[in-house]
Amino acid sequence: MKLFNYGLALLIVCVGLVVHDLPSLVLAQSTPLVNGIVVGIETNDNEQLITFVVSDSTGTLTTFKVSDSTKYGLENQAGDRWVTSHKDGSEEAARRLSEHQERFVPITVSYSEATEDSGQITGIATSVVDREQGKLETNLGYIFAVFAITWILFFAYIFYMGRKQKVVQYEITQIKASLK
Amino acid sequence: MTKVINLIVSPIALSAVLMGTTLWLIFVWVPTETNQGAVQRILYLHVPIAWGAMMGIIVVSAGSFLYLWKKNEIWDRLAVASAEVGVVFGGLALLTGMIWAKPVWAVWWTGEAKLTTTLILFFIYVAYLMFRAYFPPGTQRQRLAAMIAIIGAIDTPIIYFAANLWSQAHPPLITGPAADSESSLGTSLGVVLLASTISFTLLFILLVKMRYEIRKSEDEIKHFKRNHQLDSAVLNNISQARGTS
């Protein structure tokens, strides 16, 4: 019965999480990604970004149009991160991406409304971000999280088995004593 | 003296030494990868854990198949023990993958094939264990659970080949028969990955063995209780001990 209550509580928590995160999960399911380097940028007369082209590790080129809602999270060489939307920084976006192109810095682009015409993929970029390899502190945080979670879970499981073992031993002792 | 020697050569000590060596290799010996930087070191944990999760479902399905064939409780116990350890490895494979995805893909989760099929594997483990926990005890429960496990094993090759068949962001295979022949294995990356895989495989075997032994004792107690009339005071003590566990 106790196990059932734990199971039920876990189920309620899981359902709550799913309901809470459903919109973002649905968005994640429908948002394809491209990792690669910038190989081309197109700007208008006011030097505002219109499109850019990314080449992934297999050499596939993807052209991205930008919209007012496109989000940017790009770092400069010093590691300072610039976060804004296209509406508020279309010129800076062109400048930053051009800098990334010169430095061959990989970026991650999530996009929507992808179309393919004679092998050329085109989409509307929803977010353009650095792969963050430059940020040593951030990376160390992620490594710490992975190793800490892994070992905490393993030790918790071993502890759980130890408790189970103890109960079984107790039961055996009780049964043995009753048989004497 | 014999006790000390036994401890030194025991699988637990061997596992601890291997795990310590692996951690030294990961953090001290192997050079930092140029493309992803320090965060790439997650690979040496993520890949062996995911391997453990896949190995788990293979053992569960093999144990289930042998149980259906031989009708021997040993195989059923092995399947349950492996499923429980497998759910830990499966959950960790998902968690470590999500944490790694954030800095390199900029999202925690994306709906690509490798991730989705691994999530399905985790749900197969959970379904198997929930079925065993809530279905009335008996041979029918064992038979039906065995079928779930055997069907669930179909997911294993799908996970393995998913990155090569439908890859978007997840890197292609670097180990096994379908791996890219120009992969970086054979270099220092390969050495550390191999050492880590051996360490986690040994840990997996140890955990399954521990869980199997507990399960065996539990089954023996159940059989004993069924066949012998125990004093009510003893039963009361046992149920109290179970309540505190």
Side-chain angles (χ1 to χ4, degrees):
Chain A
M1 200 60 201
K2 205 172 177 183
L3 187 69
F4 179 77
N5 290 339
Y6 284 136
L8 196 66
L10 189 67
L11 191 70
I12 291 166
V13 170
C14 288
V15 170
L17 282 172
V18 169
V19 170
H20 180 261
D21 293 337
L22 201 58
S24 57
L25 279 174
V26 170
L27 190 71
Q29 291 289 327
S30 60
T31 310
L33 297 171
V34 165
N35 287 304
I37 52 167
V38 182
V39 290
I41 294 168
E42 188 187 347
T43 56
N44 63 15
D45 294 340
N46 298 325
E47 299 204 337
Q48 292 171 321
L49 183 67
I50 302 171
T51 58
F52 62 98
V53 183
V54 170
S55 171
D56 68 11
S57 58
T58 61
T60 308
L61 298 178
T62 311
T63 306
F64 295 105
K65 292 174 186 164
V66 287
S67 68
D68 281 351
S69 60
T70 303
K71 297 264 191 296
Y72 299 99
L74 300 170
E75 289 172 18
N76 63 14
Q77 209 154 2
D80 297 324
R81 197 175 180 84
W82 173 73
V83 180
T84 193
S85 68
H86 185 73
K87 195 179 169 185
D88 301 321
S90 54
E91 290 156 39
E92 181 66 11
R95 207 181 60 72
R96 293 256 173 177
L97 281 178
S98 171
E99 193 190 77
H100 275 65
Q101 184 182 1
E102 284 166 20
R103 291 194 287 130
F104 298 106
V105 178
I107 56 167
T108 299
V109 184
S110 55
Y111 62 100
S112 60
E113 298 176 36
T115 54
E116 191 171 350
D117 186 23
S118 58
Q120 180 74 38
I121 305 164
T122 310
I124 297 175
T126 51
S127 79
V128 184
V129 293
D130 264 299
R131 287 175 69 178
E132 295 193 25
Q133 79 276 18
K135 278 206 151 193
L136 192 63
E137 320 85 70
T138 319
N139 283 346
L140 290 180
Y142 287 117
I143 294 175
F144 175 77
V146 163
F147 280 81
I149 289 171
T150 300
W151 289 111
I152 287 169
L153 267 176
F154 274 130
F155 280 117
Y157 183 59
I158 291 166
F159 178 73
Y160 160 79
M161 278 207 287
R163 293 291 298 266
K164 237 176 157 52
Q165 175 84 52
K166 223 172 159 184
V167 172
V168 169
Q169 284 297 336
Y170 180 77
E171 286 190 33
I172 292 168
T173 318
Q174 287 286 314
I175 291 167
K176 273 183 184 169
S178 75
L179 291 174
K180 279 179 188 169
Chain B
M1 190 63 191
T2 323
K3 268 187 180 177
V4 177
I5 293 167
N6 283 345
L7 186 70
I8 291 167
V9 295
S10 72
I12 295 170
L14 182 65
S15 176
V17 169
L18 268 175
M19 217 38 105
T21 312
T22 304
L23 287 175
W24 179 81
L25 288 172
I26 292 171
F27 287 109
V28 182
W29 187 74
V30 74
T32 305
E33 203 258 348
T34 47
N35 189 30
Q36 290 186 21
V39 81
Q40 183 270 345
R41 283 168 212 269
I42 294 173
L43 171 112
Y44 308 117
L45 218 65
H46 173 70
V47 173
I49 287 173
W51 151 250
M54 290 211 290
M55 195 167 53
I57 196 73
I58 291 168
V59 176
V60 177
S61 57
S64 300
F65 176 77
L66 287 167
Y67 171 74
L68 289 176
W69 185 23
K70 303 272 183 189
K71 299 276 180 291
N72 192 331
E73 293 273 329
I74 290 171
W75 301 116
D76 185 59
R77 267 182 226 135
L78 178 70
V80 180
S82 180
E84 206 177 282
V85 178
V87 83
V88 176
F89 273 74
L92 274 171
L94 287 171
L95 274 173
T96 53
M98 282 167 75
I99 297 169
W100 192 12
K102 184 62 181 163
V104 293
W105 297 345
V107 289
W108 295 103
W109 185 265
T110 175
E112 80 158 57
K114 188 100 173 176
L115 281 71
T116 310
T117 47
T118 310
L119 183 66
I120 291 169
L121 175 68
F122 180 73
F123 285 144
I124 290 166
Y125 275 130
V126 173
Y128 177 86
L129 290 171
M130 284 186 82
F131 183 84
R132 297 216 51 133
Y134 298 124
F135 201 83
T139 49
Q140 198 184 7
R141 172 174 78 172
Q142 288 163 321
R143 277 204 302 268
L144 288 172
M147 283 174 206
I148 292 174
I150 291 166
I151 295 165
I154 296 168
D155 193 35
T156 313
I158 301 174
I159 296 174
Y160 180 72
F161 291 107
N164 282 11
L165 292 174
W166 310 285
S167 183
Q168 289 171 317
H170 198 284
L173 294 168
I174 54 167
T175 54
D180 179 6
S181 57
E182 289 177 7
S183 76
S184 40
L185 281 184
T187 62
S188 50
L189 184 152
V191 172
V192 182
L193 190 58
L194 183 68
S196 188
T197 306
I198 292 168
S199 303
F200 277 94
T201 304
L202 189 63
L203 180 69
F204 177 87
I205 294 167
L206 274 176
L207 291 174
V208 170
K209 188 177 174 288
M210 280 169 80
R211 188 67 189 95
Y212 176 88
E213 295 295 338
I214 294 170
R215 183 85 194 178
K216 192 181 165 200
S217 302
E218 283 175 337
D219 285 350
E220 280 167 0
I221 290 167
K222 269 181 210 160
H223 283 300
F224 186 86
K225 279 186 200 165
R226 213 175 294 151
N227 298 330
H228 295 80
Q229 197 69 38
L230 285 178
D231 185 49
S232 61
V234 174
L235 287 172
N236 194 31
N237 283 345
I238 289 171
S239 62
Q240 270 181 1
R242 279 198 175 279
T244 54
S245 68

